[in-house]
Amino acid sequence: MSKQMDSRSTQATGGSYANPGFVHSSDGYSDSPRSTPSENHDKMPATKKKRRFRVAKKKVDKEALKKEMDMDEHKVPIEELATRLRSDLVRGLTSDFAEQRLMEDGPNTLSPPKTIPEWVKFLKQMFLGFAVLLWAGAVLCFVAYGVQFSQSDHPPGDNLYLGIVLVAVVVLTGSFSYYQEAASSKVMESFKKLVPQSAVVIRDAVKRDIPAEELVVGDVIEVKFGDRMPADVRITYAQGFKVDNSSLTGESEPLPRTPECTHQNPLETKNLAFFSTNVVEGVGRGIVIATADRTVMGRIANLASDTDTSSTTMSREMQFFVNIIIVASIIMGIVFLIALLALGYGFFVAFIFLIGIIMGNVPEGLLSTVTVILTLTAKRMAKKNCLVKALECVETLGSTTVICSDKTGTLTQNRMTVAHAWYDNHIYEMDTSDTQQANVYNGDSQTWKALSRVALLCNRAEFKRGQESVPIMKRETSGDASESAILKYTEVVCGNVQLLRSQNKKICEIPFNSTNKYQVSIHELAESPGRYVLVMKGAPERILDRCSTILIKGEEVPLTEDWQNAFQKAYEDLGGLGERVLGFSDYLLPPGQFPPGFNFDVENPNFPLTGLRFCGLMSLIDPPRPAVPGAVAKCRGAGIKVIMVTGDHPVTAKAIAKSVGIISPGHETREDIAKRRNIPLEDVRASDAKAIVVTGSDLKDLSEKELDHILSYYNEIVFARTSPQQKLIIVEGCQRLDNIVAVTGDGVNDSPALKKSNIGIAMGITGSDVSKQAADMILLDDNFASIVTGVEEGRLIFENLKKTVAYTVTHIADETLPFLIFIFLKVPLPLGTICVLWIDLGTDIIPAITLAYERPESDIMLRMPRDRKKETLVTGKLLGLTIFQVGIVESLSGIFTYFVIYGQFGFRPDKIIGLRDIWSDSSISNLEDSYGQEWTFAQRRLIEITGYTGYLAGVVVTQWINIMMCKTRRNSIIEQGLVNYPLMLGLSVETAVLILLAYLPGMANTLNFAPLHWSWILCPTPSALAILFYAEIRKLIARVYPDGFVAREALF
């Protein structure tokens, strides 16, 4: 074969070897002249020592990477290209010149991107977002303790303990978040796996193996079945040469490569093969036109690694919440500091109060609660085949307004299947399910028997061994997708294909090639020993041209014009469904001309290839997944636009879009309207169409404004024949219109769009490693329906997080009001610092976490996606309701309990107001109560910590009811029910913690808690019932008047 290739190449080029004029820029292909190498380059030593490449580092122009490649290497005559590249198509480059070019261009490897050190990632988890607030609180606690220590020999340790606990909370939650997301950004490592290790190159007219990284532009290389393309190559010779571009385009159908230019678009032409694609058939030779980052794959790699990722909606909203808390805390603290100084308090005392006010505004347990809730939801989603890599992305999926979905393997099953058959002038629809048990065909028809015989014999696909117990449609095969589909189909309807083939032994074969577009094989005929049958399969029009008769209901009749018209109609009908159509024919070779043992010659065929008998058509399609239409309909009901973005043919893409509901029944494109009205396309107004199919070539000519118009005007959109750069442009267009965009993909080509989207979703089964690393979420079952499940879970997590925040921030009032009455009424402190810590991290954190298990309200997938500007996680309505309404009631119930306790010890309210300074004076041992009894400092201290405990009990009891109120935002608690068993367990734990704090021996001396009389726990009951009654009335009014004032202003 080598000699044959050499001779052909010599004829084409005449052994040309001249100066080049081609340079590779870092952003793609360019026609600017390459600097001419030194005339003495032949004297340069071809050393094998470690090279120092003279390659200037250029800043990656992301806008240039997004543009389509502007190149002519596939269009210019091969002699001109060889001259431009200073190469010889027979002898290749000289070793010395190749060495010099390697020094100039650098190795044929992808450039690694800048990476963030792991310690920086860890510190970000520790010191960004909500963690900053907790660190600030911890520092203030330590400062407060230092002030107290400087003023007293025995300062209370409350602030010290609180500071230590806050540091522990930040470190633990930060470490946990870092662990969860440690492996979420390794895109380029996966690209490295695509790089072949070696290449067969011709240099100095000698064929040799070299490391693939030493390839340079102008090298002549040879590749064969099983190889991976080591660079972008212009094909100069091909024999049965096919490549699998799935790593580049996502489409798995093998594509033939030939020396002829067949398309202006370099990604569509057949005379280019691209770096990292696999050779699945035949052999080929070509000249390298691009290496390393200048290849198509290199452009995608740079585009993926340099694409800026969007911050998640959750991170932005948590930062917004932190900013609110910081500003409110500082303003409130400064106001009270000024007020205290005006009232005559010393600076150090006022500063301690300032810290208390600020700490009362910090929900210390919220960071841990949110982290745990996101983790629990991520684990629940994993059980539903959605693996979340970044915790905050769980909620982003629920906010999604647009889903840009790939077709192959996501909307479809990623397996070619026989969908229809045409024979006896009738189209039969086949079962495309996993079992194919519902196939409809006339098994008694002689035409059908002949058609199925051709289908199973003229087929090179085979089942891999050891799969007898595996269902037929799930068996692995060796062969391309179309032949494998026909193999499985005939195995189902005809029985044991391997046995039938052995009974009809293959004598010879002419494989399919892109020139003839047919495949022929000759077999011994089992039913007529000593006779041969010729079977042919291929492009329908080519097969029909070679036939003179057609088989109709078992009778061979002349192929008249009427039958040709019937064929053409069936062909167009099946092609219009987006299906790949194949024609089948046979010919019973006359035994007189072709006796047993006849020597068939496939190089110079000595058997007829015309005058055959046409048997029928079979059409194949990658069928939609059964659950997808329902999932698309559910997305529509939830206000989510589903856009198909695929590299497949527009006809196929539109057919699948219609079958899954992306294009609704009865909705037409401009092309459909023009065809129905039989008028030119230009006469159809764009406003008449409710759907649109945009091809990559159309998209290339669209301005940014025109693309935005299409994305905003049409609700049903299909993008077909798109390039990786165009997928990225589509995502950016959707984001310009203020959409939250989810993108699905499985190929390397999808990685830039996956990374740019608000949430990238990769396929777990068919997805490449690159796409999985670029994505935020992985579908373990490759099913679009799982995305809808994820959307529902995302909406649910936002609902439950909002409920958690509403439940948690109530403590701001609970923990601030006691300090206010302590300052302004001068009463003994109602709430100690340790007690604040137990409210946030002890009694309430577990019930808050259990809200993650709350089931969705009934209308969660019937609402429009939330308005991110108005319906944020934390709103003014939420803070007003929780802090200034519910929180005030809870605080008052705790204060009421506090006054009841003091009253039963003998200190009525009129006595303790203004008593603070005397109460705290340890030198006073005979303080009289309202009834004349005297109390020592130690006894007063016991009353004070009993007051702490009573206040905590008041908060806990009202929080029991508050969390019931937070179970729903609109529905009644009666309708929602109490089926959240983890929540019931959480309330039990909260109650148990309160009991242990109050009644465990030694608590008074360690944590400042004391036993309570049972009657004191009943004190907050009226307030709790008032909270419940108020919530139910408010929600009832909102449901009855959904557009009324209460619904607008009183629902969080």
Side-chain angles (χ1 to χ4, degrees), residues 851-869:
L851 282 172
Y853 295 95
E854 191 62 35
R855 62 188 178 92
E857 296 181 47
S858 56
D859 63 343
I860 193 169
M861 287 300 286
L862 299 177
R863 308 173 194 164
M864 294 294 102
R866 66 184 180 91
D867 187 332
R868 291 175 295 126
K869 295 180 179 178

Side-chain angles (χ1 to χ4, degrees), residues 201-276:
V201 64
I202 298 172
R203 288 183 181 172
D204 302 312
V206 177
K207 189 186 299 185
R208 64 185 74 174
D209 283 340
I210 66 170
E213 66 177 22
E214 294 182 9
L215 275 181
V216 297
V217 171
D219 265 327
V220 176
I221 65 168
E222 291 184 1
V223 288
K224 63 183 183 306
F225 166 72
D227 289 345
R228 181 171 280 168
M229 294 302 300
D232 283 359
V233 174
R234 164 78 180 267
I235 304 299
T236 59
Y237 168 80
Q239 183 176 3
F241 189 40
K242 290 185 179 181
V243 294
D244 176 7
N245 278 0
S246 60
S247 67
L248 187 65
T249 65
E251 302 301 323
S252 58
E253 187 72 18
L255 302 174
R257 301 288 95 171
T258 66
E260 296 80 22
C261 178
T262 58
H263 203 284
Q264 294 294 314
N265 187 338
L267 294 178
E268 298 286 345
T269 187
K270 293 182 179 180
N271 65 342
L272 292 183
F274 299 106
F275 173 65
S276 85

